[in-house]
C-alpha cells in the first residue's frame, strides 16, 4: 500500500499541489506590490491636495492683506498721521487688529522709513522704529503702489515670523507721504 500511495503522491498530488502553491505565491506577490502602489498613489494624491489647499489659503491671505492695507492707505485718519499735529499713539489700528486675529502688526511709516504710528497684537506701540532697511518699505518709497513680501521674515521687535503687505499713502495731490504696512503671523 505504501508503494501505491507514493506513486499517487508523485503522479497525481505533486503536479496539483505545486501549481496551487505557485499560484498562491504569485497572488501574495501581486497583492503586496499592488497594495504598495495603491498606498503610494493615495499618499501622493493626498499630498498634492494638501499642497493645493495650502497654496489657496496663502493666496486668500495675501489677497485679503492687500485689500486691507490698500483700504487703510486711503483713509483720512491714516493721512492725518503725517501731519505734525496728529496723535500717533497706535489707537487707530486697534480695531483692525481686533477684527483680524491673524494680524501681528499694523504700522504707518514716513518717507524716511520711521514708524509714525503702529501697534502689534500684544498692544505694544511701535512708534519711532526704524524700518527703512525692509523691502516692503523700500518698494513703497521707490514708487510702488503696493508690495507683498516675497518670503517670511523675522520681526525686529520679538523675532516672530511674519508675512507682510504694504501700500503707499498719498496726499490729495498724489504726492507720496509714506506708507502703511500690515503683517500676518506666519505661525497662525
Amino acid at each position: 500500500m505504501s508503494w501505491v500511495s507514493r506513486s499517487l503522491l508523485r503522479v497525481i498530488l505533486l503536479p496539483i499541489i505545486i501549481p496551487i502553491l505557485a499560484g498562491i505565491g504569485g497572488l501574495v506577490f501581486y497583492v503586496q506590490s499592488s497594495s504598495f502602489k495603491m498606498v503610494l498613489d493615495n499618499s501622493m494624491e493626498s499630498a498634492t491636495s494638501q499642497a493645493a489647499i495650502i497654496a489657496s489659503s496663502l493666496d486668500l491671505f495675501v489677497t485679503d492683506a492687500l485689500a486691507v492695507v490698500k483700504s487703510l492707505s486711503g483713509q483720512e485718519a491714516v493721512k492725518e498721521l503725517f501731519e505734525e499735529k496728529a496723535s500717533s499713539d497706535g489707537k487707530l489700528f486697534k480695531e483692525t487688529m481686533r477684527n483680524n486675529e491673524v494680524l501681528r502688526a499694523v504700522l504707518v511709516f514716513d518717507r524716511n522709513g520711521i514708524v509714525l504710528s503702529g501697534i502689534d497684537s500684544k498692544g505694544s506701540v511701535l512708534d519711532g522704529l526704524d524700518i527703512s532697511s525692509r523691502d516692503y518699505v523700500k518698494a513703497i518709497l521707490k514708487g510702488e503702489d503696493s508690495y507683498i513680501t516675497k518670503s517670511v521674515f523675522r520681526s525686529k521687535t520679538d523675532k516672530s515670523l511674519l508675512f507682510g503687505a504694504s501700500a503707499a499713502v498719498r496726499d490729495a495731490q498724489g504726492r507720496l507721504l509714506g506708507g502703511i504696512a500690515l503683517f500676518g503671523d506666519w505661525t497662525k
Side-chain angles (χ1 to χ4, degrees):
M1 189 74 139
S2 70
W3 174 81
V4 173
S5 61
R6 271 187 272 154
S7 294
L8 280 175
L9 178 64
R10 273 184 284 192
V11 175
I12 297 174
L13 293 177
L14 283 179
I16 292 172
I17 292 174
I18 291 174
I20 289 173
L21 290 176
I24 291 172
L27 283 172
V28 168
F29 177 75
Y30 170 75
V31 167
Q32 179 187 9
S33 65
S34 66
S35 295
F36 175 77
K37 184 180 179 334
M38 183 175 61
V39 168
L40 179 63
D41 290 346
N42 284 342
S43 296
M44 294 293 287
E45 186 177 323
S46 176
T48 301
S49 176
Q50 287 178 345
I53 289 169
I54 291 169
S56 177
S57 295
L58 182 58
D59 185 49
L60 183 62
F61 168 74
V62 168
T63 302
D64 183 50
L66 199 53
V68 170
V69 79
K70 284 182 176 180
S71 172
L72 287 171
S73 72
Q75 291 184 7
E76 284 304 315
V78 171
K79 293 177 183 180
E80 289 173 2
L81 292 171
F82 292 92
E83 300 172 10
E84 288 187 34
K85 64 181 187 279
S87 169
S88 62
D89 60 3
K91 290 181 183 176
L92 177 64
F93 305 119
K94 284 185 180 177
E95 185 69 24
T96 302
M97 296 293 293
R98 188 172 47 246
N99 290 336
N100 194 335
E101 62 190 39
V102 175
L103 285 185
R104 178 76 173 156
V106 180
L107 51 86
V108 172
F109 54 90
D110 64 14
R111 289 189 306 244
N112 297 316
I114 306 298
V115 176
L116 298 176
S117 179
I119 189 169
D120 69 12
S121 60
K122 297 174 185 171
S124 301
V125 175
L126 305 174
D127 300 8
L129 192 63
D130 183 357
I131 55 172
S132 60
S133 64
R134 298 295 194 163
D135 289 341
Y136 58 88
V137 174
K138 290 177 182 178
I140 297 303
L141 298 181
K142 287 182 181 175
E144 301 260 346
D145 285 329
S146 61
Y147 181 82
I148 299 168
T149 57
K150 305 295 183 218
S151 64
V152 175
F153 61 94
R154 293 221 177 260
S155 163
K156 279 194 168 213
T157 57
D158 65 1
K159 305 300 181 207
S160 58
L161 294 174
L162 303 176
F163 190 84
S166 59
V169 178
R170 300 183 185 281
D171 65 12
Q173 291 72 38
R175 292 181 299 234
L176 181 67
L177 299 172
I180 182 168
L182 60 82
F183 309 96
D185 189 337
W186 185 252
T187 60
K188 288 188 179 181

